[in-house]
Amino acid sequence: MALGTLAAVSPGFAAQPDDDDAAAKGLAILEKNCARCHALGLTGASPHPQAPPFRDVVERYPVEDLEESLAEGIVSGHPDMPEFTFEADEVNSIVTYLNSLKAKENAK
């Protein structure tokens, strides 16, 4: 099987040429749904004291482990967090953004 074919059919396959676009889409999705509680970038406090900044989340958990939760419904231990579910393309974009955030965090 050619590597290009494998990349096309393997979710989570390493770096795609359009990762910057996917990361930007992922950030936009997170801004719309999560920014009222979570800090999304490399700096700043989360607006909600119980909501960890995403830079901390990506250090605590493997990003790929979040894929299923994002698709099936993220539920947290604190009662005021709404349940979110995302479509497969949204999950891919969110994961791409989180991976880019982790890479930037690790590069510090």
Side-chain angles (χ1 to χ4, degrees):
M1 175 184 289
L3 187 57
T5 303
L6 179 61
V9 297
S10 297
F13 188 78
Q16 299 293 321
D18 59 349
D19 277 353
D20 289 343
D21 289 340
K25 288 177 187 174
L27 177 57
I29 293 165
L30 295 175
E31 286 172 337
K32 178 181 174 188
N33 294 287
C34 307
R36 69 184 175 98
C37 294
H38 294 272
L40 303 180
L42 293 175
T43 61
S46 292
H48 190 296
Q50 292 181 334
F54 282 166
R55 66 183 173 274
D56 293 348
V57 171
V58 299
E59 290 301 317
R60 289 186 214 163
Y61 306 102
V63 174
E64 291 71 27
D65 289 355
L66 299 172
E67 288 181 67
E68 185 176 346
S69 295
L70 290 166
E72 293 183 3
I74 281 260
V75 180
S76 80
H78 56 94
D80 56 341
M81 180 173 160
E83 183 176 339
F84 292 101
T85 57
F86 299 98
E87 298 297 322
D89 62 321
E90 294 173 317
V91 170
N92 180 58
S93 295
I94 292 168
V95 166
T96 301
Y97 172 72
L98 294 175
N99 278 324
S100 74
L101 184 64
K102 184 172 185 165
K104 290 174 188 172
E105 184 70 16
N106 288 338
K108 283 183 169 181

